[in-house]
Amino acid sequence: LERLSISLNRMIERLDAAFQHINRFSADASHELRTPLTILQLELESIAQDHRRDAALGDQIGSALEETHRMSRIVESLLAISRLDAGEVKMEKTRLDLGDLAKSTADQMRLLAEEKSIRLRTHVAVSVQVEGDRTRLQQAIVNLIDNAIKYTQEGGTVELRVGQEGN
């Protein structure tokens, strides 16, 4: 029993070390990818502004820019997961208006919808107060809108509604 116990403890230690290594790698890789992705996004945005008259080039740049934004969100998610696993992230819960947050986030993403000729409508009730982490809530809203745009046919409509039921 003692040998079995020692073997199990060693196996658990090796597994724990492997998980820590994976978490460190994910965090390091995510951190290292953030800067080049940000630079790429800024350069694509600059090129897009300089070449507004050329529709075909504008479409290609818009598509590349959309993909870099998607990659950035993936990298940010990996980094957030790594930080959560490592216990480094503390949620900053504050009282905020979810409707205002949803509307401003949708306004920022309207360009993505317009590129696919999708109407993005928002219906927001007045003063829907929640307690939560603003950054995490905004990330969830971005993910929902992004998926809705991605899986809606060209010329369709995406509606974002924020309301309150009960408490």
Side-chain angles (χ1 to χ4, degrees):
L1 284 175
E2 181 180 353
R3 283 192 318 215
L4 179 61
S5 174
I6 291 170
S7 293
L8 284 173
N9 285 337
R10 286 181 184 159
M11 181 186 69
I12 290 170
E13 287 172 4
R14 285 193 312 268
L15 284 172
D16 187 47
F19 285 127
Q20 287 179 8
H21 180 71
I22 290 168
N23 286 340
R24 271 194 310 274
F25 173 78
S26 295
D28 291 346
S30 299
H31 184 74
E32 291 299 319
L33 288 171
R34 289 170 83 187
T35 302
L37 280 171
T38 301
I39 291 169
L40 186 58
Q41 286 175 349
L42 293 172
E43 289 184 9
L44 284 170
E45 287 170 358
S46 175
I47 293 169
Q49 288 180 353
D50 291 344
H51 294 88
R52 288 185 182 173
R53 293 183 193 109
D54 187 347
L57 182 60
D59 287 345
Q60 288 175 329
I61 293 169
S63 176
L65 192 54
E66 185 178 328
E67 290 305 310
T68 57
H69 284 297
R70 188 171 71 81
M71 286 174 55
S72 290
R73 284 193 299 275
I74 292 168
V75 166
E76 289 299 324
S77 294
L78 284 172
L79 188 57
I81 290 167
S82 295
R83 288 179 175 164
L84 282 170
D85 285 345
E88 296 174 6
V89 175
K90 294 179 182 167
M91 302 245 307
E92 295 182 30
K93 288 187 177 180
T94 58
R95 192 134 184 92
L96 58 99
D97 188 324
L98 185 61
D100 287 347
L101 180 63
K103 185 169 180 1
S104 66
T105 303
D107 289 342
Q108 292 171 357
M109 297 188 70
R110 199 166 298 283
L111 182 62
L112 288 176
E114 290 172 357
E115 287 175 356
K116 281 186 67 179
S117 301
I118 293 174
R119 289 181 303 277
L120 180 56
R121 295 183 182 162
T122 55
H123 305 278
V124 177
V126 177
S127 190
V128 178
Q129 297 292 314
V130 297
E131 188 173 314
D133 184 299
R134 180 180 195 81
T135 304
R136 301 286 175 256
L137 287 170
Q138 185 172 27
Q139 185 176 16
I141 295 166
V142 165
N143 289 344
L144 289 170
I145 295 172
D146 185 53
N147 283 338
I149 291 169
K150 189 182 305 178
Y151 296 108
T152 298
Q153 291 182 1
E154 190 168 319
T157 301
V158 170
E159 290 189 23
L160 175 67
R161 296 178 181 269
V162 177
Q164 183 171 338
E165 290 183 21
N167 292 327

